[in-house]
């Protein structure tokens, strides 16, 4: 199944935000059968069982359930465009974390979420020094990033700036 393009979450299959099912499930937003459904976080008074990618991308799911895919109070500052905020919290699949999710921003826009990673993967990509040089990180965060292991108890969530392509991380631990 072809899914919509999510600017701030470009590969939601790689990050396990969407699941595929051989047996169709019914989207609680549009009542259509789908083989692809959202399995990430969604904050609403009444939580749906399944949401299709189309209802997320259009904003229909967030509107119907009066919910958000990101907590608007856990976003990095520096984005002053209400349309970008609306796209991120109402039309972009979220990601799971041990602690509260935190979405990075850079160059006046939210970054693209690339997934969970660790220090070894950051080193293999040649970007460990780049992410550690981030002036917004404190010494504890830098230590956690150096100790992070993909799918471990200390991980790094990798983001990339959509304007300048800079990589940023957000450390997370259980």
């Amino acid at each position: 199944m072809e899914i919509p393009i999510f600017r701030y979450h470009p590969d939601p299959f790689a990050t396990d935000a969407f699941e595929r099912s051989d047996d169709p499930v019914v989207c609680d937003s549009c009542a259509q059968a789908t083989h692809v459904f959202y399995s990430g976080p969604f904050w609403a008074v009444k939580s749906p069982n399944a949401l299709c990618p189309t209802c997320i991308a259009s904003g229909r799911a967030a509107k119907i359930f009066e919910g958000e895919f990101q907590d608007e109070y856990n976003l990095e500052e520096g984005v002053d465009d209400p349309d970008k905020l609306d796209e991120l919290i109402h039309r972009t699949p979220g990601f799971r974390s041990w602690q509260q999710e935190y979405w990075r921003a850079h160059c006046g826009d939210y970054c693209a979420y690339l997934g969970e990673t660790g220090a070894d993967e950051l080193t293999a990509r040649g970007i460990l020094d780049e992410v550690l040089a981030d002036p917004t990180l404190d010494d504890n965060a830098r230590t956690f990033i150096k100790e992070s292991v993909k799918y471990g108890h200390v991980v790094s969530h990798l983001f990339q700036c959509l304007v300048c392509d800079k990589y940023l991380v957000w450390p997370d631990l259980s």
Side-chain angles (χ1 to χ4, degrees), residues 14-149:
T15 63
D16 295 326
F18 287 122
E19 294 183 33
R20 297 179 198 268
S21 174
D22 291 335
D23 298 321
V25 298
V26 175
C27 173
D28 291 324
S29 177
C30 66
Q32 298 295 308
T34 181
H35 290 276
V36 176
F37 61 97
Y38 181 66
S39 59
F42 184 67
W43 291 273
V45 173
K46 182 180 179 218
S47 295
N49 292 316
L51 296 172
C52 72
T54 302
C55 285
I56 294 171
S58 70
R60 177 186 174 105
K63 184 175 181 178
I64 286 176
F65 291 96
E66 298 177 23
E68 297 179 345
F69 293 95
Q70 272 68 239
D71 178 355
E72 69 178 288
Y73 299 105
N74 264 341
L75 308 174
E76 190 158 17
E77 294 180 3
V79 181
D80 296 326
D81 185 335
D83 291 334
K84 291 176 181 179
L85 175 64
D86 180 63
E87 180 178 354
L88 181 68
I89 67 174
H90 295 126
R91 299 189 315 272
T92 299
F95 66 93
R96 286 186 186 87
S97 69
W98 290 105
Q99 305 298 319
Q100 177 68 41
E101 294 81 10
Y102 183 77
W103 209 284
R104 298 295 312 260
H106 197 260
C107 293
D109 199 356
Y110 298 107
C111 296
Y113 178 66
L114 303 180
E116 196 171 293
T117 192
D120 289 345
E121 290 79 16
L122 294 170
T123 300
R125 285 184 134 179
I127 60 172
L128 180 62
D129 290 337
E130 175 183 344
V131 300
L132 291 173
D134 181 348
T136 66
L137 299 174
D138 62 21
D139 288 340
N140 285 336
R142 287 185 183 86
T143 298
F144 290 138
I145 292 166
K146 290 177 197 173
E147 295 174 357
S148 64
V149 177

Side-chain angles (χ1 to χ4, degrees), residues 98-99 116 147-155 172-174:
W98 290 105
Q99 305 298 319
E116 196 171 293
E147 295 174 357
S148 64
V149 177
K150 187 174 184 177
Y151 307 121
H153 292 285
V154 177
V155 300
D172 188 22
L173 56 147
S174 64

